């Protein structure tokens, strides 16, 4: 179990994470949703140990990791910008971490992962020869071969298109379940968060706006911010799709939803 206790992070006088406390049971998938700049990446970085906390505790299976260095925490991350090694090809990027930890995955497991992520034909390519979605899959493979205790993913699906996105979502779920891997995923997409995860953490201005199961977020959003930020986005998406099937449905500009929401708040 991963416990975050009164986490606070400030850059100078700018408080970016403000008293975040929550528990993630082992093996669960948690999505973090929230507007740009609300502190999602910072939260992943403090859990990883890349960014030092201002105050608070990070506890894993009862052990306080707050001052344990990143490499000894046993957590791993897929960064928002992938952070691949440009001088190595795709395959060497994938197996890079195994140089110091040879037993993390067997060669057969590495092979399975390469097939799972559809990377076989790209293995000898340089990083600058890969598309955004291919880079993203290399970054996911590179992290998964290390079988981390906690897997942190910063917008791992943003550069992937429809069907590949759906299949990688399923793979992340399968891998998380298979290895009982605690997984924390940052996303901008409410539909992705609600369909992928066991629990959703909604951040607003560095504070927890709601932390609950997807069905609770849908049926009992705790504030008008959540209604506007999550539910209105989902409604707009749904209506856009329905309109494709039913051309008589009037087009409702996004602003109208926001005005309706503001009026009812
Ligand atoms: N190293 C840093 N020094 C100073 N301020 C920082 C630093 N890193 C992040 N911030 C600030 O902290 C806030 C939160 O940034 P963060 O990257 O966590 O946002 P985010 O929710 O991941 O946004 P996005 O959805 O755009 O990726 C921003 O205002 C950002 O400018
Ligand atoms: Mg971010």
């Amino acid at each position: 179990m991963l416990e975050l206790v009164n986490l606070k992070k400030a850059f100078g006088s700018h408080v970016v994470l403000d008293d975040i406390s929550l528990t993630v049971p082992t093996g669960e998938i948690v999505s973090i949703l929230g507007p740009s700049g609300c502190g999602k990446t910072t939260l992943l970085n403090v859990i990883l140990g890349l960014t030092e906390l201002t105050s608070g505790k990070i506890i894993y299976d009862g052990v306080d990791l707050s001052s344990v260095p990143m490499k000894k925490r046993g957590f791993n991350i897929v960064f928002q910008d992938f952070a691949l090694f440009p001088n190595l090809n795709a395959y060497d990027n994938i197996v890079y971490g195994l140089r110091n930890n040879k037993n993390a995955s067997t060669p057969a497991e590495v092979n399975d992962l390469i097939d799972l992520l559809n990377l076989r034909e790209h293995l000898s390519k340089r990083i600058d020869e890969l598309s955004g979605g291919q880079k993203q899959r290399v970054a996911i493979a590179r992290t998964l071969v290390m079988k981390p205790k906690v897997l942190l993913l910063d917008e791992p699906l943003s550069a992937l298109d429809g069907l590949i996105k759906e299949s990688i979502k399923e793979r992340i779920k399968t891998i998380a379940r298979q290895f009982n891997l605690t997984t924390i995923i940052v996303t901008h997409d409410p539909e992705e968060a609600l369909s992928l995860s066991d629990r959703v953490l909604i951040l607003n201005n560095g504070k927890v706006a709601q932390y609950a199961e997807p069905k609770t977020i849908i049926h009992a959003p705790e504030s008008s911010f959540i209604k506007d930020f999550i539910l209105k986005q989902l409604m707009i998406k749904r209506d856009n799709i329905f309109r494709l099937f039913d051309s008589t449905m009037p087009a409702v500009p996004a602003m109208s939803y926001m005005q309706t929401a503001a009026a009812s708040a």
Side-chain angles (χ1 to χ4, degrees), residues 188 190 228-238:
H188 268 106
D228 292 353
F229 183 71
I230 313 264
L231 303 183
K232 292 284 177 268
Q233 280 190 61
L234 288 174
M235 281 163 61
I236 291 169
K237 249 190 179 174
R238 181 205 59 185

Side-chain angles (χ1 to χ4, degrees), residues 35-42 44 80 154-155 186 188:
S36 184
C38 72
K40 303 182 293 296
T41 296
T42 307
L44 286 196
Q80 198 163 8
D154 202 347
E155 311 243 9
V186 167
H188 268 106

